[in-house]
Structure formats: structure tokens, C-alpha cells
Amino acid sequence: MSEIITKGFAAYDESANFKPITFKRSALRDDEILIKTMYCGICHSDIHAAKNEWKATKYPIVPGHEVVGLVVEIGKNVKEFEIGNYAGIGCLINSCGECDACLNSNEQFCQKGAVWTYNSVDYFNNSEITKGGYSNYIKVHKNYAIKVPNNAPLKLIAPLFCAGITTYSPLKFSKVSKGMDVAIAGFGGLGVMAFKYAKAMGANVSVIARNDTKKEAAIKLGASNYYNDINKVDKKFDVIISTIPSKYDVLAYARTLKYGGEMAIVGLPPINEQVSISLNALIRVSHKKIYGSLIGGIKETKEMLEFSLKHSIYPEVKIIKPNEINKAYDDLLNNSNSFRYVIDFNE
């Protein structure tokens, strides 16, 4: 098989100004599928990476790890997909498949290193740097693609492969169930998804924000309480999901946990806004747990998609064309939105 000529949109430096790019993907391997991109969500991680805010970007970068599209070609060893199926891709496209993490369906923690959907070294394909879903074609190992039902709302499905699994996974890890008190810290795109999942799991869900701009939306979704100041929270929670993507006082939130409560951190601040925790202060937040959560494995991602479809849990989306990426980035950097921009690659 020959190399795959691909057209997309790339950032070439830290200005994150996207321009068209034509590049070659390596030839389709026997265990891979080729997907024609239909929709790709814009994740805030894309912005961090495009602007090199984590100091690890390899330019030119083609972001995008919330992809859904049409299977147009399959390798000879692929039995799980047929041409004409719909498939989704999340944050990773491969891993070693042999370490303890991979064997226990936690491929995102692969001990050799997961192959991320973009800006990652693909050690299965001549160590090429992966390029993501801001492109018309993308390929993936068959075991890392998620089959999407034909009747699924595709433009709403795409963001689930990052925003969905990122918030679903910690709620499952903390065993959220009926009657538990859960708080969502930060009520942007991730926060809204975490809220919807926790609500569907039967929890009483509160929102902790920094102002009242999202109060009406939270109440409309069924929030038990809405707080605009962490220091005025008058309730104790079993679980807190923090989606805050900037610097904040983590322990101030942890203090609102019940004895034995858990706080999951999924928001990723830039390097220059990293949070540090005083050990002396941490000791005073006794017998409460703080942990980080990074997406989910493929098995759990499939479970998340099934749960989302069953309960009609989708993000609020705004559809744009590829030539509107720069405008969307500008909006996301300068405004607080609770919807997800989704790029429509359909011609």
C-alpha cells in the first residue's frame, strides 16, 4: 500500500495560527483502518498544545483527538470493521498492548508509552510524529477505534471521545451512585459533561464556579446547589470533579469533601500556571483523597459511549467549517463557553 496523501490544518509556531497543510501518512498497516473525517471536536488541550503551553509541541502540529468518521479502507487483518462503518477516535491510536496497563484495559497508562493521536512519536510507523483529526483522513489501529452506531448523532458524538471519557472515567473510578453528593468545579465544556454523567448516575449534583454567569444553565440542568465562591460552600461532598484549567487553591476545594471523600482533577493548566500543594496544609485535610485522572482505556471508552447513547448525554456543540478554526480558538481564549466547537469536514 502507498502513503496516504492527507490535507488538514496545522499550527506552525506558538502563535497557533492555523493554515492549510498537505502531508503524508504512512501506508495503512494490516491491523489498521483508515477513516475519512466527518467531525472533529476542538478540545482545550488542542489549544495548549498548539500554543506550546506544555513545552512539548513539535511543529507543524495538526491537533484533534475527538474524531468521528467513515471507514473507507481496512487492513487485511481487520475483522472488527467493514468499509462503510462509522468509527470514532479519541486521544490514543495505539500502545504496546503487552504491559500490565494495556492488559488491564488502561492503555492510556501504557508503560512503554501510549501513541497519542497527535504530537506523539508513533513507534509502530517509523517513529513519525502523529497528526490528528484536523484533517480529512486519519488512520488508527483497529483495537483503538470505537465503532459508532449508524443512527448515532455523529456531530454530537465526536467530543465524547475526549470530553466524555475524561469526565466519565473518574466518576466510575470513585463509584458515583444514587444519592451521593457530587460537586463539579468549573462549568465549561468538561464541567457540563461531568454534571450530566453524575446526574444520570443518580447523584445529587452541585456546581462550584467563580461567578454567576453559568448559574442559570446549571439550575436548568438540575443543579442541587450553585456556589460562586469556594469559601462560602456550606455542604460536604462525597466526590468533586475539578475541570478547572488554570491555577487555583486545590485544598480549598478538598476541604469541602466529606471524611473519606475523593477529588478528581481532570483540568490541565498551562506550565506557567501549575499548582503546588503545601504538605503541612495537606495533612490538615485529613483522610480525604485527591487524584488525577487521564481519559480512560478503550474498554471504558466503549462503555462511556453506550452509556451516553442510552441516556442521550451529549455536549452542547457549535458547528464550524475548517477555515473557522482560528476564529474558534480566539473565542475560546477570550470567552467562557460551555459548548464544544466541532469542525465539520463534510463537503
Side-chain angles (χ1 to χ4, degrees):
M1 294 183 181
S2 58
E3 293 177 316
I4 302 161
I5 305 300
T6 306
K7 295 182 178 181
F9 288 80
Y12 290 81
D13 55 41
E14 293 183 5
S15 68
N17 180 34
F18 282 85
K19 299 176 182 178
I21 186 174
T22 299
F23 61 95
K24 294 179 180 179
R25 296 192 186 276
S26 56
L28 197 70
R29 294 166 61 91
D30 292 343
D31 53 5
E32 292 179 330
I33 67 173
L34 181 65
I35 296 172
K36 186 179 188 303
T37 306
M38 297 175 68
Y39 298 99
C40 181
I42 294 179
C43 175
H44 208 92
S45 296
D46 298 348
I47 298 176
H48 288 313
K51 294 179 71 64
N52 196 25
E53 292 180 340
W54 294 328
K55 306 305 177 186
T57 301
K58 306 169 185 70
Y59 293 105
I61 182 173
V62 179
H65 55 208
E66 297 180 340
V67 183
V68 67
L70 185 70
V71 178
V72 293
E73 192 173 340
I74 61 175
K76 69 178 184 180
N77 294 337
V78 176
K79 308 298 181 187
E80 297 83 354
F81 290 89
E82 297 178 352
I83 292 174
N85 287 159
Y86 293 125
I89 300 174
C91 297
L92 66 163
I93 57 172
N94 214 333
S95 67
C96 80
E98 299 175 348
C99 68
D100 288 343
C102 289
L103 294 175
N104 284 286
S105 301
N106 286 310
E107 298 91 346
Q108 74 275 31
F109 303 129
C110 175
Q111 290 163 280
K112 182 174 180 179
V115 179
W116 304 108
T117 307
Y118 65 83
N119 198 50
S120 179
V121 176
D122 187 350
Y123 48 83
F124 292 98
N125 284 288
N126 303 316
S127 294
E128 68 182 39
I129 303 302
T130 57
K131 292 179 169 59
Y134 293 13
S135 59
N136 60 347
Y137 291 102
I138 186 168
K139 67 179 189 131
V140 59
H141 188 283
K142 63 187 179 69
N143 293 341
Y144 295 75
I146 312 297
K147 186 172 286 187
V148 175
N150 289 342
N151 61 350
L154 300 183
K155 66 183 179 181
L156 303 180
I157 290 292
L160 295 181
F161 296 114
C162 178
I165 187 58
T166 293
T167 50
Y168 179 87
S169 184
L171 290 167
K172 294 292 291 187
F173 184 82
S174 289
K175 298 180 173 59
V176 170
S177 58
K178 186 175 181 180
M180 291 179 68
D181 291 312
V182 174
I184 309 302
F187 203 58
L190 284 179
V192 170
M193 292 303 298
F195 185 100
K196 290 180 178 181
Y197 285 129
K199 195 76 175 172
M201 292 172 183
N204 304 311
V205 190
S206 299
V207 171
I208 305 173
R210 303 189 194 191
N211 53 54
D212 282 336
T213 59
K214 305 289 182 65
K215 184 173 183 178
E216 184 177 347
I219 298 301
K220 186 176 180 180
L221 283 175
S224 300
N225 301 279
Y226 187 96
Y227 302 97
N228 61 13
D229 184 344
I230 185 61
N231 297 308
K232 295 181 180 179
V233 174
D234 58 359
K235 190 176 181 64
K236 295 292 186 179
F237 303 105
D238 295 293
V239 175
I240 298 172
I241 306 295
S242 173
T243 69
I244 301 171
S246 56
K247 193 171 184 177
Y248 64 105
D249 184 353
V250 173
L251 295 186
Y253 289 78
R255 291 187 192 101
T256 68
L257 289 169
K258 295 178 181 177
Y259 181 89
E262 300 181 358
M263 178 175 175
I265 296 175
V266 300
L268 280 171
I271 290 292
N272 63 355
E273 294 186 25
Q274 289 300 300
V275 175
S276 61
I277 295 176
S278 161
L279 293 183
N280 288 342
L282 179 62
I283 287 173
R284 293 185 176 89
V285 187
S286 299
H287 291 199
K288 300 172 183 181
K289 305 168 188 175
I290 302 171
Y291 69 90
S293 184
L294 179 67
I295 59 169
I298 299 302
K299 180 180 178 181
E300 191 171 54
T301 302
K302 292 177 179 177
E303 178 187 308
M304 174 277 303
L305 179 58
E306 184 177 341
F307 187 90
S308 300
L309 292 170
K310 179 180 179 181
H311 295 278
S312 296
I313 297 175
Y314 308 111
E316 306 299 319
V317 304
K318 185 173 183 178
I319 305 299
I320 62 171
K321 289 296 184 182
N323 61 6
E324 297 177 290
I325 293 173
N326 288 323
K327 183 179 178 182
Y329 269 49
D330 184 65
D331 182 48
L332 289 168
L333 286 167
N334 292 291
N335 296 290
S336 178
N337 297 315
S338 57
F339 59 80
R340 202 73 157 180
Y341 276 110
V342 174
I343 309 166
D344 180 354
F345 281 93
N346 297 287
E347 297 177 353

